[in-house]
Amino acid sequence: SAPLTGENGISKTFTINGYGDRFSWSPAGDYLAISSISGGKNLHIYSFDSTNNTFSLVDDVAIFDATKAFIAQWSPSGKQIAGTSQAANGSGAEVAVFSFDGKQLVELEGCRYETTSDATAIEWAPDGKWFSVLGGASVSAIFKFDGAKTENSNALANGAYRRGGVWSPDGRFFAV
């Protein structure tokens, strides 16, 4: 557990062993996902006690046993996390969806996707039924997610490098 202190309501930084690459608060603000470019376990989930301003490690996993995790993004329900890592061969990325029950992360079967380009962004639609993975020329995709498995909708044509995008508030449109 690591206390946070700060002035004017702004807390000081919180660091973990290794390097924190991407950070994502759960929708309720009670958990923080940190993807790390350090080897070994590289996706970390911390609970946050806002009364005492402390973080406590809940679970950490190695995404695909890879060396680098790039992105971790909570679903709108806070029950899943989509994550990417560098592919095991060092070229490209792997994407997975994990369930989270408040105690541990479990990779969902049928939710793995591999690509030959690096992923740079994951964005969930507001209803949690879709998410996008953006990045290099062969990675950009929009996935349908039914709570248990993903399906590539092939809605984005490959060939363009996309660093990010955004869902409309009603989840009907995605701008890239």
Side-chain angles (χ1 to χ4, degrees):
S1 173
L4 296 176
T5 58
E7 297 177 20
N8 302 322
I10 299 174
S11 296
K12 293 183 179 178
T13 60
F14 171 68
T15 58
I16 60 168
N17 292 336
Y19 301 100
D21 191 36
R22 300 283 175 101
F23 303 84
S24 178
W25 282 102
S26 66
D30 49 353
Y31 295 98
L32 181 65
I34 303 173
S35 59
S36 168
I37 60 173
S38 63
K41 294 183 177 181
N42 50 25
L43 176 56
H44 315 275
I45 305 298
Y46 287 86
S47 63
F48 178 63
D49 177 347
S50 60
T51 302
N52 297 310
N53 290 333
T54 57
F55 284 96
S56 298
L57 180 65
V58 176
D59 197 12
D60 52 0
V61 297
I63 300 179
F64 307 110
D65 299 321
T67 58
K68 296 180 179 180
F70 292 125
I71 304 167
Q73 188 67 40
W74 291 94
S75 68
S77 71
K79 294 179 181 177
Q80 295 89 19
I81 297 174
T84 70
S85 73
Q86 180 181 28
N89 66 5
S91 176
E94 296 174 297
V95 180
V97 179
F98 296 83
S99 67
F100 182 68
D101 64 3
K103 296 178 183 172
Q104 70 177 23
L105 291 163
V106 176
E107 184 179 343
L108 296 175
E109 296 292 325
C111 293
R112 185 180 285 211
Y113 174 72
E114 296 181 26
T115 179
T116 57
S117 297
D118 288 340
T120 58
I122 294 175
E123 295 292 334
W124 285 88
D127 63 6
K129 294 180 180 178
W130 301 87
F131 68 92
S132 64
V133 177
L134 302 174
S138 70
V139 70
S140 296
I142 294 178
F143 293 92
K144 186 174 185 175
F145 179 69
D146 68 5
K149 66 180 185 330
T150 58
E151 179 183 339
N152 188 342
S153 70
N154 296 311
L156 295 176
N158 285 326
Y161 190 93
R162 297 176 175 99
R163 288 197 170 109
V166 63
W167 288 93
S168 64
D170 64 6
R172 293 178 48 217
F173 303 99
F174 185 70
V176 289

